[in-house]
Amino acid sequence: MGKKPSSNSTSLSIFNPKYYFKKPQQLVLVIFGFVSLVLLVSDRQNLTRDHHEEVLRLNEELAQLKLHLEDLSVKVKWSAGLESSNTSKDDDDDPVSVERREKVKEAMLHAWTSYEKYAWGHDELQPQTKDGVNSFGGLGATLVDSLDTLFIMGLHEQFQRAKEWVANSLDFNKDYEASVFETTIRVVGGLLSAYDLSGDKVFLEKAKNIADRLLPAWNSPSGIPYNIINLAHGSAHNPGWTRGNSILADSGTEQLEFIALSQRTKDPKYQEKVEKVVKEIQKTFPTDGLLPIYINPLSGTAAYSTITFGAMGDSFYEYLLKVWIQGNKTEAVKHYREMWETSMKGLQSLVRKTTPSSFTYICEKNGNFLSDKMDELACFAPGMLALGSKGYGPGEAEKVLSLAEELAWTCYNFYQLTPTKLAGENYFFRPGQDMNVGTSWNILRPETVESLFYLWQTGYVGLKDVNSGIIDNKMQSFFLAETLKYLYLLFSPTSVISLDEWVFNTEAHPLRIVTRGDPHHENSQVDRQQKLPIHFRGRKEGRLGYN
């Protein structure tokens, strides 16, 4: 009589494929069970995703309802002639401004909710395909760029979720060739601004972390930084297309952020790196203050190239003025103002007018030849001139402010003269033709709105083709960081972000002004808990190219 199979042999046989060929009923049951399990898991995943999308949709609707309720409350108080109970109301906070401000806030909320839903943690949202793309190495560029906008607009729930992502998920240890310029103005600037506004040290620690990874870029023989750096390995170089040269805007647009970081961490190494750049440039600073867009990082001297207030030149001049303001206009930063005023004399030598309409524009210069071309990027200049006019005597101040107004009118007409009412990337000026669109894309740039904001503060009031209206597939991070923020502030009382207390970096991130040259002020604790009157119920590589 044979042995009876053991229970172990029976149980093991179910893992043998031959077992199921002998007993097809069991095979059918196994297949049925497996398919049921897959469908159950898949259905659960779909339910989870649907639930997440439904929650986001409901959150957006709830936030919109809150905005409408607040708006209704303000209108009631206005009609009754009452002031908001939790803020002081400026004379310029009229009902029309309130309504416009809320429309901008709604636009921000719509853009942010779409980013949260489709591209959370990615650098940028692709609205048409409804997904995210990492254009900056996966540093959460849109999220970090938007922190202060969320805070200023009073979108506190969204700000809190973004802060949690920064604290738990933002990682800079990336084997990625990063632009020193873009990473500084968007990430370092965005984090420092969030710190100055909220007082939360997680932002300062993250700003220090990324700045430490950028610092080796300044280890050139002259101290002029290389413009590209690997965030994981610290190896720095310049783009091949610059023939080894560093770019003017990329090299002279880190001063605000790194000086602010030194002030807040009490570590001078950041400030020392970026101020050495200005000292090096100052050695051979031209009498007209106009620098070509390329600088040799080995010698520290300018290389023959275009002079422009547009792409690759723009923010160098902006930061000469703003470092002076950031230091509270003291003797310690006087040389920045002097260099800037020299450059503004040079700017005036590039100014021309069109025919027949007399639009004022800024030429570009190659050697002794002037090119009748102006980038939309150069529309930051009216705002810069308006901001800097306060440092001149009465007669000169009026002249500079008048030039700012004329240039702003031209920039306004960059928009008005296209079928879509959106500006192209640059314009050409020809006798008898006023202006013509050159490069016809529009990527929601902020410069014209930025200038209108500064002119208003001084007391005056993405398409692929702006002709056809063909849309692209990218929501640039600076649309939330700059364009919407400047629009919001344009319709807000001046006390929201006072230019006597704050200075904007070139990405529209406000940084607190700290007096330079006064040890008591520089070593004192910055009052970082900004009490913004946000419920009144009452604003670059020079950003070269189309990405």
Side-chain angles (χ1 to χ4, degrees):
M1 188 172 178
K3 268 187 178 181
K4 184 178 180 180
S6 68
S7 60
N8 286 342
S9 64
T10 301
S11 62
L12 288 172
S13 67
I14 66 173
F15 297 103
N16 189 330
K18 293 179 180 178
Y19 172 82
Y20 296 102
F21 287 110
K22 292 179 180 179
K23 298 187 177 183
Q25 297 90 340
Q26 277 80 357
L27 178 61
V28 171
L29 286 172
V30 169
I31 294 172
F32 178 77
F34 176 75
V35 171
S36 299
L37 181 62
V38 169
L39 289 173
L40 179 64
V41 171
S42 175
D43 188 53
R44 185 172 180 82
Q45 289 176 336
N46 287 332
L47 283 171
T48 302
R49 183 170 58 252
D50 292 343
H51 176 71
H52 178 66
E53 292 182 356
E54 182 66 12
V55 168
L56 285 172
R57 184 185 66 79
L58 290 172
N59 280 339
E60 181 177 9
E61 290 182 359
L62 179 60
Q64 292 283 2
L65 284 171
K66 287 181 179 178
L67 289 177
H68 289 309
L69 284 171
E70 291 174 355
D71 191 46
L72 180 61
S73 174
V74 171
K75 289 178 179 177
V76 169
K77 289 178 180 179
W78 267 98
S79 63
L82 300 175
E83 290 189 350
S84 176
S85 59
N86 64 337
T87 61
S88 60
K89 180 149 47 57
D90 291 3
D91 291 339
D92 53 358
D93 195 28
D94 59 275
V96 174
S97 293
V98 171
E99 183 178 0
R100 290 173 177 173
R101 183 166 66 243
E102 292 311 306
K103 291 298 183 184
V104 177
K105 190 173 180 178
E106 289 175 12
M108 175 65 187
L109 186 61
H110 171 74
W112 178 259
T113 303
S114 296
Y115 170 76
E116 240 186 318
K117 183 175 181 178
Y118 300 114
W120 184 248
H122 288 82
D123 287 327
E124 291 175 316
L125 167 69
Q126 298 188 131
Q128 289 203 79
T129 51
K130 296 183 179 180
D131 57 10
V133 61
N134 286 329
S135 316
F136 299 95
L139 304 182
T142 290
L143 190 148
V144 176
D145 234 356
S146 302
L147 287 166
D148 51 8
T149 305
L150 294 171
F151 192 94
I152 290 168
M153 290 186 179
L155 298 172
H156 298 304
E157 293 175 8
Q158 292 81 358
F159 177 83
Q160 185 64 28
R161 289 197 293 271
K163 188 196 82 170
E164 290 171 2
W165 186 90
V166 170
N168 300 319
S169 302
L170 182 55
D171 177 20
F172 298 124
N173 189 27
K174 308 278 189 182
D175 187 8
Y176 169 68
E177 302 288 300
S179 162
V180 176
F181 166 77
E182 295 287 359
T183 307
T184 297
I185 66 171
R186 296 175 193 245
V187 182
V188 180
L191 291 167
L192 284 174
S193 182
Y195 174 61
D196 277 2
L197 288 164
S198 72
D200 196 313
K201 290 189 176 180
V202 67
F203 298 121
L204 182 61
E205 289 302 315
K206 291 290 185 178
K208 185 176 182 298
N209 186 316
I210 184 62
D212 286 339
R213 293 176 182 273
L214 297 175
L215 276 181
W218 280 265
N219 295 339
S220 71
S222 68
I224 301 294
Y226 299 108
N227 299 150
I228 305 293
I229 192 166
N230 186 288
L231 294 180
H233 307 300
S235 51
H237 60 92
N238 279 330
W241 51 269
T242 66
R243 303 184 300 278
N245 293 305
S246 297
I247 299 168
L248 176 63
D250 289 34
S251 305
T253 312
E254 292 86 14
Q255 284 69 24
L256 282 178
E257 297 83 359
F258 277 64
I259 290 170
L261 187 58
S262 280
Q263 290 170 337
R264 286 142 184 78
T265 62
K266 306 298 182 268
D267 188 339
K269 65 182 180 182
Y270 309 105
Q271 180 173 330
E272 289 170 354
K273 288 287 188 183
V274 296
E275 294 217 294
K276 184 179 179 182
V277 174
V278 178
K279 291 175 182 176
E280 192 66 29
I281 291 174
Q282 199 174 16
K283 292 177 183 177
T284 56
F285 200 60
T287 56
D288 63 1
L290 300 178
L291 287 172
I293 58 174
Y294 291 152
I295 305 176
N296 188 317
L298 305 180
S299 65
T301 57
Y304 182 84
S305 48
T306 302
I307 290 171
T308 178
F309 280 82
M312 300 190 286
D314 48 8
S315 50
F316 165 75
Y317 303 102
E318 174 188 359
Y319 270 36
L320 290 178
L321 173 66
K322 288 185 174 179
V323 173
W324 175 70
I325 294 171
Q326 181 189 41
N328 213 13
K329 309 173 185 179
T330 63
E331 191 69 24
V333 287
K334 182 181 178 182
H335 60 291
Y336 283 96
R337 173 75 195 199
E338 292 172 343
M339 292 173 71
W340 181 79
E341 288 193 9
T342 301
S343 297
M344 292 309 97
K345 291 178 181 177
L347 179 149
Q348 292 179 49
S349 73
L350 302 179
V351 169
R352 298 291 185 273
K353 288 182 180 289
T354 70
T355 56
S357 302
S358 293
F359 290 121
T360 302
Y361 63 97
I362 306 171
C363 293
E364 295 184 348
K365 188 176 183 180
N366 289 279
N368 294 321
F369 174 73
L370 292 183
S371 173
D372 295 298
K373 169 183 172 286
M374 181 175 168
D375 290 347
E376 196 281 339
L377 280 165
C379 285
F380 86 98
M384 175 185 66
L385 288 164
L387 184 63
S389 66
K390 294 180 181 179
Y392 288 106
E396 190 64 22
E398 292 173 4
K399 179 181 176 183
V400 170
L401 191 56
S402 177
L403 175 59
E405 292 178 60
E406 292 175 15
L407 289 169
W409 177 244
T410 300
C411 293
Y412 169 78
N413 279 280
F414 282 178
Y415 288 78
Q416 288 298 304
L417 297 179
T418 69
T420 61
K421 303 302 179 185
L422 291 171
E425 184 73 353
N426 51 53
Y427 286 77
F428 289 91
F429 307 89
R430 298 179 177 88
Q433 299 181 29
D434 281 330
M435 63 180 82
N436 302 103
V437 175
T439 306
S440 61
W441 68 58
N442 178 289
I443 54 174
L444 309 177
R445 291 199 185 277
E447 286 75 20
T448 297
V449 179
E450 173 188 358
S451 284
L452 293 176
F453 165 71
Y454 281 115
L455 281 162
W456 171 71
Q457 285 270 346
T458 56
Y460 292 81
V461 60
L463 293 182
K464 284 185 179 178
D465 192 320
V466 298
N467 298 307
S468 67
I470 299 173
I471 60 178
D472 69 2
N473 188 31
K474 184 178 288 189
M475 185 175 76
Q476 302 280 350
S477 77
F478 55 70
F479 174 63
L480 284 73
E482 303 184 70
T483 309
L484 290 179
K485 184 185 296 148
Y486 279 128
L487 277 169
Y488 182 81
L489 293 174
L490 185 60
F491 300 119
S492 299
T494 57
S495 57
V496 177
I497 296 290
S498 169
L499 296 183
D500 294 325
E501 300 175 14
W502 300 86
V503 60
F504 288 92
N505 86 336
T506 197
E507 191 75 3
H509 296 307
L511 301 171
R512 279 198 178 277
I513 292 172
V514 178
T515 301
R516 292 276 300 277
D518 183 337
H520 173 72
H521 281 91
E522 287 199 73
N523 294 326
S524 64
Q525 193 77 355
V526 178
D527 177 16
R528 300 180 184 92
Q529 286 289 354
Q530 166 69 343
K531 297 176 178 59
L532 291 173
I534 38 187
H535 298 299
F536 293 103
R537 308 309 327 140
R539 183 173 139 28
K540 267 183 185 209
E541 283 68 4
R543 308 240 170 92
L544 177 69
Y546 179 69
N547 296 318

